[in-house]
Amino acid sequence: MTDDVRPAGLLPRPAVAALVSAGAIRAERVIEPSQIQPASLDLRLGQEAFRLRASFLPGRTATVRERLESLSPERVSLVGEGAVLEKGIVYIAPLTERLELPQTLAGAANPKSSTGRLDIFTRLIVDRGAAFDEAPAGYAGSLWVEISPRSFSVRVREGSRLNQLRFRECGPRAALSDEDLRARHAEAALVDGALELRDGLVVHVGLAGPDNAIVGFRAIKNGSVIDVDRPGAYAAEDFWEPIRARESGRLILDPDEFYILASREKMCIPADLAAEMAAIDPALGEFRVHYAGFFDPGFGWTASGAPGARAVLEVRGRDVPFLLEDGQPIGRLVFEPLSSASDALYGAVGGSNYQGQGLKLSKHFRPWGSA
């Protein structure tokens, strides 16, 4: 395969660090080593946010700030103790980092795991952008994030990290085919159960367990505020209602309710790959399951080589009640190679909180029953 048509690859940690050193990634404050994950970069909020009536994209002819000024937003300072972003409201905030990418690189963003588990909807916006969560090849300019808390009001401040950015070499996206995944699974197990493939690895929801075991959580919509920079500060019982296993193995998702569930299978992302959760098929169910669906290389790794972590699923019901059953397909993992080896895997850098996880709430909550 010639270089000009070779598949793209995601940049690993050393390559992201090299972009920082070369000035292709810049920031108003020094970029901290803990921001650089095995295959992504954590982004930090700037000094202000803007409260809006509605989300927007700037379009091909305007910068984000130009479009923002035309909407006469209310400014919110994030300096010092920061500010409370109210649930149900849309905010736009500049990020500390900015890009000057070469024409050979593009960026793709997603919420951090903890952001998704708090039901905070975030999307990256760039100047003259016509799509969310994308920094086009060669992009040079500022970065912004749309923030919309859904279940809980949250306190954020300058430097808070809500989303992350991956960098991809330009070219055809190199998603592994089902044939590739079958071969990789034969070499080293990707999941601890039967391998089901459908344009990626099919993920099934786990709703079965011993009598009265907790198999999920539903958000309690109350007025309490969660500080996104205070891990372990909150009693889970104050914010979540437990969902316990039923003999039927069923759960009805109510419209516009938010749930934390887990995959039935344990999984492992090989060291030379990363994965992204995608919808199994939008026509198969009235729910959304992939808020924060990026899996770093090494997620679920164990010394024995057996897959060791479940995927936590951030699930929101949509227009009508929808019945889920234990083992039902709920998403699929699309695997993509790294462009070169990473020098660290998930759990080894950046304060990773979810290695070896089962069903687990975000890092902000103490374990269930420890309040």
Side-chain angles (χ1 to χ4, degrees):
M1 183 174 291
T2 61
D3 287 344
D4 59 338
V5 295
R6 65 186 176 87
L10 291 175
L11 264 59
R13 187 171 180 269
V16 175
L19 288 178
V20 174
S21 297
I25 306 172
R26 302 182 180 184
E28 298 167 9
R29 294 182 291 121
V30 174
I31 293 176
E32 302 170 16
S34 63
Q35 288 180 248
I36 306 177
Q37 302 295 329
S40 61
L41 175 75
D42 289 350
L43 302 173
R44 299 169 295 180
L45 297 182
Q47 296 184 346
E48 59 187 357
F50 298 90
R51 178 179 171 137
L52 298 169
R53 291 184 58 194
S55 171
F56 70 87
L57 279 168
R60 299 297 188 190
T61 61
T63 67
V64 176
R65 190 168 291 279
E66 288 169 348
R67 188 71 72 207
L68 194 60
E69 290 173 351
S70 72
L71 299 173
S72 302
E74 178 184 347
R75 181 183 178 276
V76 179
S77 174
L78 302 183
V79 175
E81 288 302 307
V84 173
L85 306 187
E86 300 172 29
K87 64 182 179 182
I89 303 297
V90 176
Y91 300 85
I92 301 289
L95 294 163
T96 298
E97 291 73 28
R98 61 178 290 118
L99 300 179
E100 293 189 23
L101 294 179
Q103 291 296 326
T104 55
L105 288 180
N110 60 278
K112 290 177 60 62
S113 293
S114 294
T115 304
R117 296 184 204 202
L118 288 177
D119 197 17
I120 305 172
F121 187 66
T122 69
R123 297 190 288 195
L124 184 78
I125 309 175
V126 300
D127 292 339
R128 298 176 178 84
F132 291 108
D133 284 334
E134 295 180 2
Y139 177 73
S142 58
L143 301 174
W144 298 71
V145 61
E146 174 189 318
I147 310 166
S148 183
R150 304 294 301 275
S151 291
F152 316 112
S153 295
V154 297
R155 179 176 291 277
V156 301
R157 57 187 54 79
E158 180 185 10
S160 294
R161 306 178 191 181
L162 299 181
N163 63 338
Q164 57 191 175
L165 189 61
R166 294 163 276 147
F167 299 92
R168 180 178 290 118
E169 294 176 325
C170 295
R173 186 173 178 184
L176 271 67
S177 68
D178 288 352
E179 182 180 349
D180 294 332
L181 292 176
R182 190 173 290 108
R184 293 298 296 261
H185 182 69
E187 296 173 4
L190 300 176
V191 293
D192 64 349
L195 184 72
E196 182 179 347
L197 302 171
R198 192 186 310 170
D199 293 327
L201 190 154
V202 176
V203 177
H204 306 82
V205 67
L207 295 174
D211 186 41
N212 214 37
I214 296 176
V215 295
F217 299 94
R218 180 167 61 180
I220 298 172
K221 296 180 179 179
N222 59 31
S224 298
V225 174
I226 296 173
D227 189 323
V228 301
D229 297 315
R230 292 186 63 199
Y234 303 97
E237 291 86 341
D238 293 338
F239 295 86
W240 299 94
E241 172 191 345
I243 298 169
R244 299 189 181 274
R246 300 177 179 177
E247 185 176 350
S248 65
R250 292 178 170 181
L251 170 66
I252 294 177
L253 302 177
D254 290 320
D256 204 34
E257 295 291 330
F258 182 71
Y259 302 83
I260 296 291
L261 304 174
S263 65
R264 186 172 65 177
E265 51 272 294
K266 292 182 180 179
M267 58 191 62
C268 179
I269 310 300
D272 62 332
L273 302 177
E276 185 174 7
M277 183 76 78
I280 189 71
D281 185 335
L284 293 183
E286 291 293 326
F287 57 88
R288 171 181 172 150
V289 70
H290 51 297
Y291 271 57
F294 181 66
F295 294 77
D296 273 309
F299 175 84
W301 181 88
T302 63
S304 68
R310 302 187 189 278
V312 165
L313 309 167
E314 302 105 1
V315 180
R316 175 170 291 282
R318 285 184 171 164
D319 298 329
V320 298
F322 186 81
L323 177 67
L324 279 185
E325 299 189 72
D326 178 59
Q328 181 172 335
I330 198 170
R332 58 191 174 93
L333 285 183
V334 178
F335 287 76
E336 189 171 357
L338 303 184
S339 63
S340 57
S342 184
D343 62 350
L345 300 181
Y346 184 84
V349 296
S352 306
N353 294 279
Y354 307 114
Q355 183 64 297
Q357 70 182 358
L359 174 69
K360 189 173 183 180
L361 296 170
S362 78
K363 63 184 179 182
H364 307 88
F365 301 103
R366 297 186 289 274
W368 192 266
S370 64

